[in-house]
């Protein structure tokens, strides 16, 4: 009698776990969406990576900011990637990305931000190129002041050593 009860409980537990596993895996794949760069100008190229084994066999990523982009498997793992071009008419702001893989979907809210102008890198990232006349005058005055101040300091040190 005891053995029958133990077997019945074990069978019921196995059935619960067995029936619950497909539902759990349905929610777990795809698992993560990453957009690089996270801030991008209109017309820029956005790389989207999606983790999940179902995305290895194709799929797509969608967003109001770009046309649907096909996912391609990255060798050696369970990650896929796509490259999307941000529409030129896209309004500045944060945008969601939705991944569609193997009949499953995952949405990442505010995955990236579109800005109005371009992103300038390099020396300061200013919107102007080159130094203005005022910048050159200020820089020249600072260099002159440093040279004169250093000369005065050196001359005073030299006269103190002779005395």
């Amino acid at each position: 009698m005891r053995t029958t009860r133990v077997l019945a409980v074990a069978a019921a537990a196995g059935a619960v776990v067995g029936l619950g596993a497909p539902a759990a895996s349905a929610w777990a794949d795809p698992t993560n969406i990453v957009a690089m760069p996270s801030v991008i100008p209109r017309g820029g190229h956005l790389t989207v990576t999606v983790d999940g084994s179902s995305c290895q066999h194709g799929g797509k990523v969608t967003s109001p900011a770009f046309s649907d982009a096909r996912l391609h498997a990255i060798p050696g793992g369970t990650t896929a990637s796509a490259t999307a071009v941000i529409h030129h008419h896209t309004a500045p702001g944060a945008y969601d990305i939705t991944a569609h893989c193997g009949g499953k979907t995952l949405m990442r809210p505010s995955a990236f931000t579109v800005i109005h102008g371009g992103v300038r890198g390099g020396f300061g990232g200013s919107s102007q190129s080159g130094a203005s006349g005022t910048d050159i005058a200020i820089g020249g005055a600072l260099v002159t002041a440093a040279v004169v101040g250093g000369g005065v300091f050196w001359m005073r040190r030299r006269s103190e050593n002779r005395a």
Side-chain angles (χ1 to χ4, degrees):
M1 185 84 151
R2 267 189 190 185
T3 306
T4 309
R5 285 184 187 167
V6 170
L7 287 175
V9 169
V16 168
V17 170
L19 293 174
S25 68
W27 291 105
D29 197 29
T31 57
N32 190 28
I33 299 172
V34 177
M36 291 301 291
S38 60
V39 177
I40 188 165
R42 292 184 259 186
H45 292 263
L46 183 73
T47 301
V48 180
T49 56
V50 181
D51 295 333
S53 59
S54 66
C55 296
Q56 286 284 307
H57 309 293
K60 66 180 179 177
V61 289
T62 61
S63 175
F66 56 78
S67 299
D68 294 358
R70 286 240 151 278
L71 288 166
H72 302 284
I74 297 175
T78 60
T79 304
S81 72
T83 301
V85 179
I86 305 300
H87 296 302
H88 289 284
H89 63 273
T90 302
Y95 287 88
D96 305 341
I97 295 177
T98 304
H100 306 273
C101 302
K104 302 169 187 125
T105 60
L106 175 69
M107 196 254 314
R108 171 138 186 228
S110 301
F112 64 99
T113 302
V114 175
I115 59 173
H116 177 59
V119 178
R120 293 189 55 128
F123 298 105
S126 67
S127 60
Q128 275 187 334
S129 60
S132 67
T134 306
D135 294 336
I136 293 172
I138 291 171
L142 289 172
V143 169
T144 303
V147 168
V148 169
V152 168
F153 177 77
W154 184 65
M155 293 299 284
R156 289 192 61 177
R157 278 294 269 196
R158 194 169 169 205
S159 67
E160 287 176 5
N161 288 340
R162 288 188 176 177

